[in-house]
């Protein structure tokens, strides 16, 4: 057991469906862990928790909570860290505003989100809110590089029980559309710093004004520093052309971005798409809409809510929409389009789902159609473009025989674009942007126009070297085909290749690895797994995110079942439980029908790894037995098809936790390494089996009815526990 106040294992408190599931699963974990002298505590990294922690001076004393994200940020830099991280909301502005309103209604006097701050006080509040937006959590906790792969039990089950794949045809009209120039990819410059340096970013306007965009940046020696921009004029021209092309082709128009992780750049790009879609309306009524508070970056849904009482503008919108191609729908029944909310269509979830479905997306008529997938920037669009071309040529993947693509991702210390939020800017005027080092050296320079989106990003030497060494370890352990997804013709990637090659050569393993641009690596990986063989994709941060949805969704039907281990650079462990992209729909169904179809398989996989890591770190043999038993329970859970089903009346998340607890207890009772543990769990296993019928009946007693857990972003823990732990019999056995 921990010798200080920090629990042995931290289980994060998050949002939406994963947090509902935690109310049922976490008490089981804590009870079982206690038998091995292991403590399991929680830290709140939910959106609501982060808002409350950010504005303590607005709250009553008994409403204040510690800044758990900051506490965890310190912990993950220590060898003692053992954190199980569940998926949390990476908030878009609409989500942030909704969470604030909910907290205010619950009696928390947090300030409103200032959409257009004017006073210094509003600007200060806005800056604090902006620190919460987007992926505020992941860069803080990921003090190590990523090792993501399908757990062996999960992969075996997927091959034995292959999911349904949509059929691809060679004449499918589905395609990827990207800019031919003027994007982040084409404008990127990159350099590796020979010494530690500080830097500032300055815009010198054409009129001679000097605007300091950012100062006080600090980089250690060996840091790869990039700068690039997207031309607003080129973007607008591209979007207008694609809308017309899509209409001519008779397919759906869809936009695919990452407006959560890329919380500055992608919402702006999203706003350009909304403006392009309604271009005639903005031309005629732009001033009126601005007066109504319309900000296209927040989506069509927010725009419509603001202009709904202006019949003339609404009529103009309807007229333009009638002339546009049909749009890819998030929810055709409710009329929620691809452009409604920037966080509704996240590229790493939306593109794999469309590809898995045979290139089909849902249209406004409630039917599936081919689609043009608009991905403006060319940095990673070729991955999806090549995947679509491959399946048009070869037909759909067969999950029963497909091999697997594992991933090793460079992400430590806010690596690459996902760390660019503080250094991304929408240009207030035309001029030249320069990144200037402390000795006056101009590291990077771009000529820009008003409205262009400029950003800088970096990757530090220590994480890069750690990433390469991690790849060497995994290749040696598996013998799989191993590919660095790096493009020698991209500025940033060329700098990384200059790190990668010497390390591989020094270790004598250069012949074990290939280096390919993303397009070529995509095809090579698809060819490999189609033959039933396996490969390791060694990638940067964004591709880590994209590929660990793309390949698992093709192989397993979901990315929520991935084993995700982050080997923290200072010796600790971070165990992530999978993606949460479908969680909002799960909560909506839960509230309406008391049925939660969230699958906690990702949590099971992370839990087993966490216990085994703890066993090694602290010499706790009982923890290793717990971890081995978790793996046995997970295999039993899969083999007996105890996953949650989709509809009320079928088993849901709570049923699945009962079965997991039962298999876990049975494995612990049957093991022969520790008689004390076996004796402890034997009666628990027996009681869970004996009371099966009664427990299942109690779990399902109120299914099909609406439930109130006291809030969406900030639910009431007592109400949530009551609805998520409805079996008194199960609760009594678990203790």
């Amino acid at each position: 057991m921990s010798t200080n106040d920090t629990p042995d294992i931290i289980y994060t408190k998050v949002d939406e469906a994963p947090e509902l599931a935690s109310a049922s699963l976490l008490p089981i974990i804590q009870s079982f862990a206690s038998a091995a002298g292991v403590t399991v505590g929680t830290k709140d990294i939910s959106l609501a928790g982060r808002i409350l922690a950010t504005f303590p001076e607005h709250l009553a004393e008994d409403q204040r909570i510690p800044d758990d994200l900051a506490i965890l940020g310190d912990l993950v830099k220590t060898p003692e860290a053992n954190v199980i991280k569940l998926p949390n909301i990476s908030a878009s502005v609409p989500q942030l505003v909704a969470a604030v309103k909910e907290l205010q209604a619950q009696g928390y006097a947090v300030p409103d989100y200032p959409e257009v701050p004017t006073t210094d006080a509003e600007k200060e509040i806005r800056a604090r809110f902006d620190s919460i937006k987007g992926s505020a959590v992941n860069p803080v906790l990921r003090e190590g590089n990523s090792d993501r792969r399908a757990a062996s039990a999960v992969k075996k089950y997927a091959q034995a029980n292959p999911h349904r794949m949509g059929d691809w045809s060679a004449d499918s009209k589905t395609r990827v559309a990207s800019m031919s120039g003027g994007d982040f990819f084409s404008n990127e410059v990159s350099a590796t710093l020979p010494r530690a340096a500080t830097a500032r970013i300055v815009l010198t306007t054409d009129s001679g004004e000097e605007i300091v965009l950012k100062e006080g940046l600090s980089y250690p020696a060996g840091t790869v520093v990039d700068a690039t921009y997207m031309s607003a004029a080129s973007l607008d021209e591209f979007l207008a052309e694609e809308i017309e092309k899509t209409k001519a082709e008779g397919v759906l128009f869809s936009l695919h971005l990452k407006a959560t992780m890329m919380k500055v750049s992608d919402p702006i790009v999203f706003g350009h798409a909304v403006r392009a879609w309604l271009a005639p309306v903005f031309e005629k009524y732009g001033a009126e809409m601005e007066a109504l508070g319309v900000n296209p970056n927040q989506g069509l849904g927010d725009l419509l809510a603001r202009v709904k009482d202006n019949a003339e503008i609404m009529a103009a919108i309807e007229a333009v929409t009638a002339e546009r191609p049909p749009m890819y729908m998030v929810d055709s029944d409710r009329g929620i389009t691809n452009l409604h909310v920037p966080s509704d269509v996240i590229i790493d979830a939306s593109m794999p789902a469309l590809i898995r479905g045979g290139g089909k997306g849902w249209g406004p008529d409630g039917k599936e159609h081919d689609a043009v997938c608009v991905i403006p920037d060319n940095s990673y669009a070729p991955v999806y473009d090549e995947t679509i071309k491959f399946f048009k040529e070869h037909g759909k993947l067969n999950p029963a025989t497909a091999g697997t693509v594992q991933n090793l991702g460079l992400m430590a210390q806010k690596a690459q674009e996902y760390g660019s939020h503080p250094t991304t800017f929408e240009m207030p005027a035309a001029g030249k942007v320069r990144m200037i080092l402390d000795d006056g050296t101009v590291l990077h320079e771009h000529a820009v126009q008003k409205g262009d989106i400029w950003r800088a990003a970096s990757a530090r030497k220590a994480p890069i070297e750690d990433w390469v060494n991690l790849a060497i370890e995994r290749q040696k352990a598996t013998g799989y085909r191993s590919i660095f997804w790096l493009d020698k013709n991209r500025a940033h990637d060329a700098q990384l290749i200059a790190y990668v090659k010497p390390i591989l050569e020094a270790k004598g393993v250069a012949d074990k690895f290939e280096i390919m641009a993303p397009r070529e690596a995509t095809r090579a990986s698809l060819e490999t797994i189609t033959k039933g063989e396996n490969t390791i994709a060694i990638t940067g941060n964004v591709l880590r995110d994209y590929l660990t949805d793309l390949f698992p969704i093709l192989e397993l039907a979901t990315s929520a079942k991935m084993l995700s281990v982050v080997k923290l650079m200072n010796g600790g462990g971070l165990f992530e439980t999978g993606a949460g992209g479908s969680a909002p729909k799960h909560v909506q169904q839960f509230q309406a029908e008391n049925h939660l179809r969230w699958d906690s398989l990702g949590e099971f996989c992370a839990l087993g790894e966490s216990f085994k890591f703890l066993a090694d770190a602290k010499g706790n043999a009982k923890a290793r037995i717990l971890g081995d038993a978790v793996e046995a329970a997970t295999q039993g859970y899969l083999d007996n098809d105890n996953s949650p089903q989709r509809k009320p009346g079928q088993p849901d998340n709570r049923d699945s936790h009962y079965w997991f607890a039962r298999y876990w207890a049975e494995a612990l009772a049957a093991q022969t390494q520790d008689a004390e543990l076996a004796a402890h769990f034997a009666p628990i296993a027996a009681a869970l089996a004996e009371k099966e019928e009664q427990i299942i009946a109690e779990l399902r007693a109120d299914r099909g009815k609406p439930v109130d857990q006291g809030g969406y972003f900030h639910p009431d823990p007592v109400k949530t526990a009551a609805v998520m732990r409805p079996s008194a019999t199960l609760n009594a056995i678990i203790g």
Side-chain angles (χ1 to χ4, degrees), residues 39-99:
T39 56
V40 182
T42 61
K43 292 293 181 187
D44 188 349
I45 60 170
S46 68
L47 175 57
R50 286 180 277 142
I51 293 171
L52 295 177
T54 301
F55 296 101
E57 74 278 12
H58 291 257
L59 307 177
E61 189 68 36
D62 63 348
Q63 293 178 324
R64 295 177 185 175
I65 63 173
D67 187 346
D68 280 356
L69 179 56
I71 293 169
L72 281 181
D74 290 335
L75 179 63
V76 294
K77 295 174 183 175
T78 70
E80 291 74 35
N82 188 330
V83 180
I84 297 176
K85 181 198 168 294
L86 281 71
N88 56 281
I89 291 176
S90 295
S92 63
V93 171
Q95 289 173 307
L96 192 60
V97 170

Side-chain angles (χ1 to χ4, degrees), residues 223-553:
T223 300
V224 176
V225 181
D226 315 321
T228 188
Y229 75 98
M230 178 176 281
S231 163
S234 297
L235 173 62
D236 291 341
E237 182 181 358
F238 161 74
L239 290 167
E241 288 177 356
E242 284 306 324
I243 289 171
E244 291 306 313
K245 285 183 184 177
T246 304
K247 182 178 180 180
E249 292 169 15
V251 296
L252 303 179
F253 177 89
S254 61
L255 178 71
H256 302 266
L257 296 167
K258 185 79 170 183
T260 49
M261 288 288 264
M262 300 306 298
K263 64 183 181 181
V264 180
S265 61
D266 281 23
I268 297 172
V269 177
F270 187 88
H272 277 264
V274 172
R275 190 179 288 272
W277 189 261
L278 296 178
V281 182
F282 276 95
E283 288 168 13
K284 187 172 182 179
Y285 300 102
E288 289 179 58
M289 292 197 294
E290 186 176 350
L292 291 169
V294 167
N295 179 354
N297 297 8
Q298 295 186 23
L300 193 57
D302 182 80
L303 183 154
L304 292 171
R306 293 180 186 275
V307 304
K308 67 180 187 302
D309 296 327
N310 188 311
E312 190 175 340
I313 295 177
M314 288 297 292
I317 290 173
E318 290 176 14
V320 170
T321 301
E323 292 298 313
R324 294 307 194 198
M327 202 187 299
Y328 175 104
M329 302 297 286
V330 171
D331 189 331
S332 55
D333 292 339
R334 296 167 56 218
I336 306 300
T337 73
N338 181 204
L339 295 182
H340 259 64
V341 182
S343 56
D344 268 0
V345 180
I346 302 301
I347 183 171
D348 44 321
S350 60
M351 283 301 301
L354 181 142
I355 292 168
R356 181 195 169 207
K360 304 291 187 182
W362 293 101
D365 59 359
K367 297 178 182 178
E368 290 185 305
H369 302 274
D370 291 346
V372 170
C373 305
V374 174
I375 306 172
D377 182 45
N378 269 291
S379 297
Y380 307 109
V383 170
Y384 299 114
D385 184 50
E386 194 64 25
T387 301
I388 287 171
K389 288 178 178 177
F390 183 87
F391 288 130
K392 283 184 183 181
E393 294 170 19
H394 299 281
K396 63 186 178 183
L397 187 73
N398 182 357
T401 58
T404 190
V405 178
Q406 301 185 349
N407 181 270
L408 295 176
L410 169 62
M411 69 177 189
Q413 299 180 358
K414 305 177 183 179
Q416 300 183 314
E417 298 99 314
Y418 280 179
S420 69
H421 319 311
T423 50
T424 300
F425 309 95
E426 188 172 25
M427 292 295 102
K432 286 189 176 178
V433 183
R434 295 181 177 91
M435 176 174 274
I436 305 170
L437 301 183
D438 45 27
D439 64 356
T441 300
V442 176
L443 185 67
H444 298 310
E445 178 178 330
H446 288 106
V448 294
Q449 300 299 313
K450 183 178 180 180
D452 289 352
I453 310 162
W454 187 96
R455 74 177 183 219
S458 64
R460 299 185 175 206
K461 179 180 180 180
I464 295 170
E465 293 178 337
D466 179 82
W467 169 64
V468 180
N469 287 320
L470 183 61
I472 293 170
E473 289 177 21
R474 286 296 300 160
Q475 194 284 327
K476 183 178 180 181
T478 63
Y480 295 164
R481 182 180 191 181
S482 298
I483 303 171
F484 280 92
W485 291 46
L486 298 171
D487 182 354
K488 64 182 180 181
N489 296 315
R490 179 181 174 184
H492 169 80
D493 287 8
Q495 300 295 316
L496 288 190
I497 290 171
Y499 269 111
V500 170
K501 283 187 172 180
I503 296 174
L504 297 181
E505 289 166 1
K507 296 286 183 74
V509 294
D511 61 330
K512 303 290 187 184
F513 293 86
E514 300 167 79
I515 298 176
M516 296 184 188
R519 180 181 296 278
E520 289 69 33
T522 299
R523 181 162 288 264
S525 299
L526 288 168
E527 289 172 346
T528 299
I529 64 172
T530 298
K531 292 187 291 186
E533 299 171 1
N534 306 319
T535 182
I536 302 173
I538 310 155
T539 73
N541 204 349
V542 178
L543 275 178
R544 166 201 59 81
D545 208 2
Y546 290 8
L547 299 191
T548 55
D549 276 300
L550 175 60
F551 289 111
I553 286 172

Side-chain angles (χ1 to χ4, degrees), residues 449-723:
Q449 300 299 313
K450 183 178 180 180
D452 289 352
I453 310 162
W454 187 96
R455 74 177 183 219
S458 64
R460 299 185 175 206
K461 179 180 180 180
I464 295 170
E465 293 178 337
D466 179 82
W467 169 64
V468 180
N469 287 320
L470 183 61
I472 293 170
E473 289 177 21
R474 286 296 300 160
Q475 194 284 327
K476 183 178 180 181
T478 63
Y480 295 164
R481 182 180 191 181
S482 298
I483 303 171
F484 280 92
W485 291 46
L486 298 171
D487 182 354
K488 64 182 180 181
N489 296 315
R490 179 181 174 184
H492 169 80
D493 287 8
Q495 300 295 316
L496 288 190
I497 290 171
Y499 269 111
V500 170
K501 283 187 172 180
I503 296 174
L504 297 181
E505 289 166 1
K507 296 286 183 74
V509 294
D511 61 330
K512 303 290 187 184
F513 293 86
E514 300 167 79
I515 298 176
M516 296 184 188
R519 180 181 296 278
E520 289 69 33
T522 299
R523 181 162 288 264
S525 299
L526 288 168
E527 289 172 346
T528 299
I529 64 172
T530 298
K531 292 187 291 186
E533 299 171 1
N534 306 319
T535 182
I536 302 173
I538 310 155
T539 73
N541 204 349
V542 178
L543 275 178
R544 166 201 59 81
D545 208 2
Y546 290 8
L547 299 191
T548 55
D549 276 300
L550 175 60
F551 289 111
I553 286 172
L554 296 178
E555 294 176 32
L556 314 173
T558 176
S559 59
K561 300 177 181 181
M562 288 289 280
L563 177 61
S564 182
V565 178
V566 180
K567 294 185 177 181
L568 299 171
M569 290 174 62
N570 289 327
L574 177 69
F575 307 93
E576 299 185 306
T577 67
S582 58
K585 289 184 179 180
H586 291 189
V587 180
Q588 292 162 13
Q589 182 183 28
F590 172 76
Q591 291 175 331
E593 302 173 330
N594 192 14
H595 181 87
L596 183 64
R597 67 177 192 262
W598 176 261
D599 191 341
S600 294
L601 184 57
E603 288 96 295
F604 303 159
C605 292
L607 181 64
E609 291 294 316
S610 174
F611 276 125
K612 288 190 281 186
F613 179 84
L614 180 69
D616 291 336
K618 298 194 175 181
N620 186 332
K622 291 181 186 291
R624 176 164 295 281
I625 294 169
L626 281 180
D628 290 340
V630 166
E631 289 193 353
T634 302
Q635 191 70 63
Y637 168 85
L638 290 168
D639 290 345
N640 291 291
D641 199 19
N642 295 127
S643 300
Q645 304 300 307
R646 298 180 66 84
K647 298 178 181 178
Q650 297 175 324
D652 87 340
N653 177 265
R654 290 158 287 192
D655 301 73
S656 73
H657 292 164
Y658 158 71
W659 288 107
F660 175 73
R662 177 169 163 180
Y663 299 142
W664 194 8
E666 289 172 350
L668 287 164
Q671 56 81 29
T672 58
Q673 298 164 271
D674 190 304
E676 183 182 8
L677 277 180
H680 176 84
F681 283 100
I684 295 173
L688 289 171
E690 180 187 342
K691 301 290 186 179
E692 173 188 334
E693 188 174 335
Q694 184 176 344
I695 291 170
I696 296 297
E698 291 171 354
L699 288 174
R700 300 184 185 179
D702 292 317
R703 301 278 173 88
K705 303 175 184 177
V707 294
D708 171 24
Q709 80 269 28
Y712 182 94
F713 295 98
H714 192 243
D716 181 293
V718 175
K719 289 182 177 180
T720 303
V723 73

